[in-house]
Amino acid sequence: MTRPTIAITMGDPAGIGPEIIMKALAQPEVHALCRPLVIGDAGRLRQAGRVVGADTPVDALTEAGAADFTSGAVQCLDLACVPDGLPFGQVSPVAGEAAYRFIETAVQVVQAGLAQGICTAPLSKEALHAAGHKFPGHTELLAHLTGTPEVSMMLVSPKLRVIHVTTHIGLIDAIAKIEPGLVERVIARGHAVLVRAGIADPKIGVCAINPHAGENGLFGHGEEAEKITPAVEACRARGWDVRGPLPADTLFFLAGRGDYDMVVAMYHDQGHGPIKVLGLEAGVNITVGLPVIRTSVDHGTAFDIAGTGVADERSLVEALRQAVDLAPKQAA
């Protein structure tokens, strides 16, 4: 099997994306995994290379099909949209527009069959909005660009996989949005990803909304029985090993020791907290339900350290590894 081509979007050029890309692509193991094609700005990558002390040259390409993965240089589809002197660490509509264009182009590259997956460096939601692109984040933007009506966010670390029923909305709005059909669809998307990853009969635990899973109506207003239990029963009727709704604190402990292959979290912080306690350097964000494979680092733009060269590239390397594992396999 040949190595898949993975399109790496540079993220917000004022953040740490260019630096972690240059650090990651200086590692031979990354090139042994895949053929990395950066969608970004070649000048900014060269600047980041100087910042991090990576002397890898950068080839500026005008089309994705011209990439030479044997040259030893970073292959960059150069959109040339980052002005010289753009400061690191500052929110900018110029940077937000560039980040949008990187993602838009990556989708086009994959849809044209020139790459088998997308791996994204972090963007700034504030900069994206300042550029006029009103999306809460990568997940919703990619759904828009691919015409996908509904997707799910999955976070993966070496000890835990978490898929989210709701993400970037307030807690009150999240509880209102949760309903059995949505919960069942999220479980189904997660189940399909695990089966494709080689887990034939995954064990899935579903979080409750309220403490102690409502304690038989003592806490909350019957949300578990109304919103979650019907979905769990429907999935079990398909023959799947799905259990819940379970108290989230206990479920995450059990999943962390290996009793469950995936946890279904009801809202953003319920799922993100346990993953991030395990370490940002190992976390990977996967958008589930898109017609293209997309993985991402599980951290932000880190404007406070951008341009200093100290950013940790390990999450990006792991995200590339996950993209390769999920990408369509091609014969050599």
Side-chain angles (χ1 to χ4, degrees):
M1 306 298 284
T2 190
R3 293 169 298 148
T5 299
I6 304 297
I8 306 171
T9 59
M10 201 173 76
D12 190 301
I16 61 172
E19 295 166 72
I20 61 174
I21 288 172
M22 292 303 291
K23 281 187 172 183
L25 297 191
Q27 299 179 21
E29 67 174 286
V30 169
H31 298 273
L33 280 171
C34 66
R35 297 182 297 186
L37 173 65
V38 181
I39 314 296
D41 184 280
R44 194 62 160 185
L45 285 178
R46 294 186 185 111
Q47 181 184 6
R50 293 190 292 271
V51 167
V52 303
D55 58 2
T56 311
V58 177
D59 286 346
L61 311 174
T62 57
E63 55 184 41
D68 178 1
F69 298 106
T70 64
S71 72
V74 171
Q75 300 299 293
C76 175
L77 181 55
D78 184 17
L79 302 194
C81 56
V82 180
D84 291 340
L86 180 78
F88 283 103
Q90 295 182 20
V91 173
S92 160
V94 172
E97 179 63 28
Y100 177 87
R101 289 185 57 195
F102 301 153
I103 300 162
E104 181 183 46
T105 302
V107 169
Q108 295 167 354
V109 167
V110 173
Q111 290 176 335
L114 297 172
Q116 287 70 58
I118 297 171
C119 181
T120 58
L123 54 71
S124 162
K125 299 176 182 66
E126 187 178 353
L128 192 67
H129 287 198
H133 303 292
K134 306 297 184 180
F135 298 95
H138 270 119
T139 301
E140 296 82 1
L141 174 53
L142 284 160
H144 167 74
L145 291 171
T146 58
T148 307
E150 189 175 88
V151 295
S152 298
M153 177 189 293
M154 178 183 284
L155 302 182
V156 177
S157 76
K159 290 187 175 183
L160 196 62
R161 301 179 189 92
V162 184
I163 193 167
H164 294 70
V165 175
T166 66
T167 50
H168 295 120
I169 56 176
L171 183 55
I172 292 174
D173 295 330
I175 293 170
K177 183 176 181 179
I178 297 166
E179 51 86 19
L182 174 60
V183 175
E184 183 179 353
R185 293 192 300 275
V186 171
I187 295 171
R189 281 192 282 271
H191 185 275
V193 166
L194 296 184
V195 171
R196 282 202 305 271
I199 304 173
D201 186 23
K203 186 173 181 179
I204 299 171
V206 181
C207 288
I209 294 172
N210 294 298
H212 301 189
E215 192 103 9
N216 296 316
L218 183 61
F219 304 125
H221 301 278
E223 289 88 356
E224 280 71 28
E226 174 190 347
K227 296 171 175 287
I228 302 174
T229 298
V232 171
E233 291 175 347
C235 290
R236 291 181 66 84
R238 300 191 196 192
W240 299 346
D241 189 354
V242 179
R243 306 183 188 192
L246 300 170
D249 52 355
T250 303
L251 175 53
F252 277 109
F253 166 74
L254 295 174
R257 75 177 188 186
D259 292 5
Y260 289 89
D261 297 301
M262 184 178 74
V263 172
V264 181
M266 291 296 122
Y267 52 90
H268 184 281
D269 285 12
Q270 187 181 58
H272 277 60
I275 286 282
K276 293 193 174 183
V277 164
L278 294 174
L280 289 175
E281 73 281 353
V284 175
N285 184 325
I286 302 172
T287 305
V288 180
L290 292 171
V292 299
I293 298 302
R294 180 261 173 165
T295 67
S296 179
V297 295
D298 186 30
H299 59 69
T301 51
F303 280 162
D304 58 324
I305 61 169
T308 67
V310 302
D312 192 320
E313 78 280 9
R314 285 178 290 176
S315 182
L316 179 61
V317 172
E318 186 59 30
L320 285 166
R321 192 184 311 279
Q322 293 284 347
V324 169
D325 286 345
L326 295 171
K329 303 301 184 286
Q330 296 181 323

